[in-house]
Amino acid sequence: MKKVFAMLPVAVFAVLVGFFIYRLVLIDHGDTPNLIPSVMIGRSAPAFDLPPLFDGQPHFAAKDLQGKVTLINFFASWCEACRAEHGFLGEVKQAGIRLIGIDYKDDPKDAKAWLARMGDPYDEVVTDADGRTAINFGLYGVPESYLIDKKGVIRFKQTGELTPDVIRSQVVPLARELSR
Amino acid sequence: MKIRRFFLLFLLGIAVATAFADTARAVLPDEMLSNPVLERRARKISEGLRCLVCQNESIDDSDAALAHDLRILVRKRLLAGDTDAQVKQYIVSRYGNYVLLKPPFDAETLGLWLGPGALLLFGAAAAVFFYRRKDGVAETPRLSGEERARLDALMNGGQGGGENAS
């Protein structure tokens, strides 16, 4: 009996070590503790109606989400990670997903110059000057991307930049499934 | 004595420093509402909402741009006539319970709320259990008849003999 008790701290220690290793492995797979799981998954996209970045183009509103699988990508010309992600957005469009860019709290002049320089992969670009629509989406930094199904329900969220790996292994397969 | 005085001075220093640190909030004058009652409510709500960028500060403390936007949003909701609970619910419905610095008591947070108490009880129970057992083992054996006779002799005049007698 006594021996069993003596082993108790060792057992507790072993459990703790196991837990920490498990957590480290999760972090290795991209699940970091500062990543906040979105409560918006499975919910309808919030109401919005945003003006276009380029004059003469139409507004984009929540009702326009109906009927087509859409990836909404929040970006800004001042955002460093957006630059890293930008080159891969073409892959999303190539997969047949409608790609809407929302320019988050940006100077339209800067955004236009940025897109002219970096290339414009978006089907439409609209602006969220005061960031209110972004808050309604539950955004807490740029870039963030939301995959929305034909009924306007948010199905997937990428916090931070889209990598080729995330696009190929998650975004494209899910979009294909939702398009059916 | 000197060390103790130094220590007290040190504590006093910390107290003064933290008192001042507390007043250094991130709220900008142009964010504040002119109605002091509403502004006080806004501050109270903001103190309980986590800044999602820095994650260990409230939006009332944080200088992050998103915290600024959320502070303004809180005030706009209050001006629109929301109750404190409605304002919090508005933010929670977008960011989840994670934004609440004080998490609600529900099935998901049961361990968080009750865990420390349970651990304390477990520790106390373990301590009582172990000390009880030890008491039993370490109990001094009663004096034998011979020992008692020798002790009586010592008490009654010091001629009981033994190595230490002088």
Side-chain angles (χ1 to χ4, degrees):
Chain A
M1 194 63 180
K2 233 181 188 170
K3 260 190 189 154
V4 176
F5 275 121
M7 290 302 285
L8 198 65
V10 181
V12 169
F13 180 71
V15 168
L16 273 180
V17 167
F19 177 72
F20 289 143
I21 289 177
Y22 168 70
R23 207 62 197 82
L24 280 175
V25 170
L26 281 188
I27 288 172
D28 218 36
H29 285 275
D31 181 8
T32 57
N34 58 352
L35 206 63
I36 308 158
S38 177
V39 291
M40 300 299 288
I41 309 291
R43 281 208 233 153
S44 284
F48 66 90
D49 186 0
L50 295 173
L53 175 67
F54 298 103
D55 299 332
Q57 287 198 347
H59 278 230
F60 192 85
K63 63 171 168 43
D64 298 322
L65 291 167
Q66 300 290 328
K68 258 187 194 168
V69 176
T70 307
L71 187 84
I72 287 188
N73 175 240
F74 283 90
F75 73 99
S77 68
W78 45 262
C79 146
E80 202 56 51
C82 302
R83 196 177 296 255
E85 158 189 88
H86 203 73
F88 306 123
L89 291 177
E91 280 194 38
V92 175
K93 211 177 151 185
Q94 269 169 23
I97 305 166
R98 178 168 58 174
L99 184 61
I100 301 296
I102 298 186
D103 188 26
Y104 173 71
K105 299 187 81 173
D106 207 353
D107 184 337
K109 243 188 283 165
D110 293 343
K112 284 176 192 166
W114 194 73
L115 287 174
R117 194 162 24 129
M118 306 277 297
D120 181 357
Y122 300 109
D123 290 305
E124 279 179 56
V125 184
V126 289
T127 60
D128 182 19
D130 61 2
R132 276 296 298 277
T133 297
I135 287 179
N136 286 340
F137 267 90
L139 173 142
Y140 60 94
V142 270
E144 273 188 21
S145 302
Y146 299 80
L147 189 67
I148 298 167
D149 70 13
K150 288 193 243 178
K151 287 182 180 149
V153 176
I154 298 172
R155 292 308 196 96
F156 171 83
K157 173 188 179 181
Q158 174 69 9
T159 304
E161 55 196 274
L162 284 166
T163 60
D165 184 47
V166 171
I167 292 173
R168 284 169 209 162
S169 66
Q170 291 178 268
V171 174
V172 172
L174 182 58
R176 208 160 276 162
E177 201 186 303
L178 295 173
S179 298
R180 262 182 288 178
Chain B
M1 202 57 199
K2 235 180 193 170
I3 290 175
R4 180 176 284 180
R5 192 172 294 169
F6 179 78
F7 184 66
L8 279 175
L9 217 63
F10 178 71
L11 279 185
L12 192 71
I14 288 181
V16 169
T18 47
F20 276 103
D22 201 46
T23 59
R25 288 292 157 94
V27 185
L28 302 171
D30 63 322
E31 291 176 9
M32 290 180 189
L33 299 173
S34 51
N35 181 338
V37 180
L38 281 186
E39 175 62 21
R40 214 171 305 134
R41 279 171 63 198
R43 296 294 297 267
K44 194 88 193 289
I45 295 170
S46 302
E47 279 165 15
L49 293 175
R50 185 192 305 272
C51 166
L52 293 121
V53 181
C54 0
Q55 304 197 352
N56 268 329
E57 270 184 311
S58 74
I59 61 169
D60 199 53
D61 288 324
S62 172
D63 290 319
L66 184 67
H68 166 82
D69 291 353
L70 287 173
R71 283 196 298 269
I72 289 181
L73 187 59
V74 163
R75 285 163 174 79
K76 273 191 180 157
R77 298 308 311 172
L78 285 177
L79 281 178
D82 276 12
T83 65
D84 293 5
Q86 279 170 330
V87 174
K88 275 188 194 168
Q89 191 47 44
Y90 185 89
I91 306 282
V92 167
S93 70
R94 282 152 183 78
Y95 289 102
N97 281 337
Y98 186 78
V99 290
L100 299 174
L101 283 170
K102 187 178 172 189
F105 184 81
D106 58 20
E108 206 187 350
T109 57
L110 211 64
L112 185 69
W113 281 101
L114 301 182
L119 269 179
L120 190 69
L121 279 180
F122 174 77
V128 167
F129 182 71
F130 277 108
Y131 277 108
R132 276 255 174 89
R133 276 162 56 95
K134 242 194 202 137
D135 271 359
V137 172
E139 199 179 306
T140 318
R142 297 212 154 270
L143 294 177
S144 64
E146 192 189 331
E147 281 168 335
R148 177 148 294 282
R150 206 168 130 204
L151 180 65
D152 283 345
L154 277 169
M155 298 290 277
N156 295 334
Q159 302 135 359
E163 304 88 89
N164 291 338
S166 53

